[in-house]
Amino acid sequence: MLAYQHAYHAGNFADVHKHLALFSLTRYLLRKKSPVTYIDTHAGRGLYRLAEPETQKLKEYESGVGALWSARQALSGSSELLDGWLAALQRLQPGVAKTLSHYPGSPWWLAQGLRSHDRLSLFELHPGEHGHLDGQPLLQEARRIHGDGLAGLQRVLPVATPRLCVLIDPSYERKAEYAEVAESLSFVARKVRHAVVMIWYPLLPAGRHMTLLEAVRKADIRKVWRSELEVHSLDSATHGMYGSGLLVFNPPWGLGDELENALACLLPRFGPQARQRAGWWVAE
């Protein structure tokens, strides 16, 4: 199935959760001089114009990044991570007025801190989405591969650089993807034990994310941290996402606290039902 196009959901609350964590993670990795290979298994377009018909159809960005953009002056100084993230987002906007017109996907966030000795590989299976990705001038240094990211990940490991950071962010169109993602994490953990892996998953009323979580717990993988952001209660969610989840294998020390503090500042912007929880899913 290749029906999913992230343009319909670009900039929603789940993107904010995921990309704020990714921004924090890359900042921690850049504190060391040794080179890093970044791999994004489900890259999407890389950059989204909010005026696109797909994005305008649902306008999910309005209650996501749009709510934070409107409140950025009030949020200023509340979190160093949030300040840096919003500043990066502002630099991306064209023109002098810096009106919010574009939202970057994970490839753009990964590319922001790319140094000359780092490497970035972007996998995208959807032919239309890969076409957009391949034409992104902001990603000149990235290797863009039209293909299955989970299969591609297994082919390229181990990597030549001393460090590895992987983002696994599928659409979960197929139920089997939850188990496949857990299997991919197990593979990476065996091949590159020091790798840092971030996995995103949706919180849906059907609760299928528990397949992923329980498979990771049973796989004897250690040091897996979890963050979940809920913007609706499960009881009120009849369809669609009520929240966003992240697993991070081998998280840098301090990442959890930094992200939790930033999310705490954002919760009021996401509505009265918004809440977060975080902690070790599998302890060290």
Side-chain angles (χ1 to χ4, degrees), residues 183-217:
E183 290 167 6
S184 295
L185 176 59
S186 296
F187 181 86
V188 176
R190 291 194 306 270
K191 283 284 187 178
V192 189
R193 288 184 295 173
H194 61 275
V196 179
V197 183
M198 179 180 290
I199 295 169
W200 177 84
Y201 57 90
L203 299 181
L204 296 162
R208 295 193 182 103
H209 65 284
M210 292 307 301
T211 299
L212 165 62
L213 295 179
E214 291 304 325
V216 170
R217 193 195 292 277

Side-chain angles (χ1 to χ4, degrees), residues 56-134:
Q56 286 296 310
K57 185 173 183 179
L58 299 176
K59 295 186 177 182
E60 290 186 4
Y61 68 90
E62 290 185 346
S63 57
V65 66
L68 308 186
W69 184 261
S70 299
R72 63 190 184 281
Q73 290 186 345
L75 290 168
S76 179
S78 59
S79 159
E80 182 184 350
L81 171 61
L82 187 56
D83 284 349
W85 187 82
L86 286 169
L89 188 60
Q90 183 167 348
R91 288 194 296 273
L92 173 68
Q93 308 310 315
V96 178
K98 298 296 183 182
T99 302
L100 182 65
S101 60
H102 292 72
Y103 185 79
S106 50
W108 188 87
W109 291 108
L110 287 170
Q112 286 314 287
L114 208 63
R115 302 163 299 185
S116 60
H117 58 304
D118 296 328
R119 298 292 178 265
L120 174 58
S121 292
L122 307 171
F123 288 89
E124 178 52 51
L125 184 59
H126 191 293
E129 297 299 276
H130 180 265
H132 285 288
L133 179 69
D134 207 33

Side-chain angles (χ1 to χ4, degrees), residues 15-283:
D15 268 359
V16 171
H17 181 213
K18 172 175 51 185
H19 295 146
L20 196 59
L22 191 62
F23 184 66
S24 176
L25 174 57
T26 55
R27 293 205 313 174
Y28 275 103
L29 293 177
L30 289 171
R31 292 180 180 181
K32 293 184 178 180
K33 294 182 179 179
S34 58
V36 186
T37 293
Y38 298 97
I39 298 175
D40 189 341
T41 61
H42 298 77
R45 297 185 182 185
L47 183 66
Y48 301 89
R49 288 181 64 250
L50 299 180
E52 291 290 343
E54 303 99 317
T55 310
Q56 286 296 310
K57 185 173 183 179
L58 299 176
K59 295 186 177 182
E60 290 186 4
Y61 68 90
E62 290 185 346
S63 57
V65 66
L68 308 186
W69 184 261
S70 299
R72 63 190 184 281
Q73 290 186 345
L75 290 168
S76 179
S78 59
S79 159
E80 182 184 350
L81 171 61
L82 187 56
D83 284 349
W85 187 82
L86 286 169
L89 188 60
Q90 183 167 348
R91 288 194 296 273
L92 173 68
Q93 308 310 315
V96 178
K98 298 296 183 182
T99 302
L100 182 65
S101 60
H102 292 72
Y103 185 79
S106 50
W108 188 87
W109 291 108
L110 287 170
Q112 286 314 287
L114 208 63
R115 302 163 299 185
S116 60
H117 58 304
D118 296 328
R119 298 292 178 265
L120 174 58
S121 292
L122 307 171
F123 288 89
E124 178 52 51
L125 184 59
H126 191 293
E129 297 299 276
H130 180 265
H132 285 288
L133 179 69
D134 207 33
Q136 287 293 349
L138 296 176
L139 301 171
Q140 297 266 345
E141 305 302 319
R143 179 176 175 232
R144 287 162 270 200
I145 306 103
H146 181 204
D148 185 315
L150 295 185
L153 176 62
Q154 296 199 17
R155 288 196 302 270
V156 301
L157 296 188
V159 295
T161 58
R163 294 188 292 157
L164 170 66
C165 176
V166 180
L167 173 65
I168 302 177
D169 174 27
S171 64
Y172 298 98
E173 284 183 280
R174 297 179 295 106
K175 296 178 185 178
E177 284 185 289
Y178 292 96
E180 290 167 2
V181 169
E183 290 167 6
S184 295
L185 176 59
S186 296
F187 181 86
V188 176
R190 291 194 306 270
K191 283 284 187 178
V192 189
R193 288 184 295 173
H194 61 275
V196 179
V197 183
M198 179 180 290
I199 295 169
W200 177 84
Y201 57 90
L203 299 181
L204 296 162
R208 295 193 182 103
H209 65 284
M210 292 307 301
T211 299
L212 165 62
L213 295 179
E214 291 304 325
V216 170
R217 193 195 292 277
K218 293 175 182 177
D220 198 30
I221 303 169
R222 297 293 176 221
K223 205 175 179 185
V224 181
W225 179 80
R226 175 179 64 154
S227 169
E228 291 188 347
L229 169 66
E230 297 181 10
V231 298
H232 308 292
S233 68
L234 177 56
D235 294 337
S236 66
T238 56
H239 65 280
M241 285 195 304
Y242 68 88
S244 164
L246 293 170
L247 292 178
V248 185
F249 171 60
N250 285 333
W253 184 87
L255 180 141
D257 289 341
E258 183 174 66
L259 181 60
E260 284 183 74
N261 292 337
L263 290 176
C265 300
L266 301 184
L267 289 181
R269 310 295 170 180
F270 289 140
Q273 294 183 322
R275 66 190 185 105
Q276 67 159 319
R277 62 169 170 259
W280 290 107
W281 179 245
V282 184

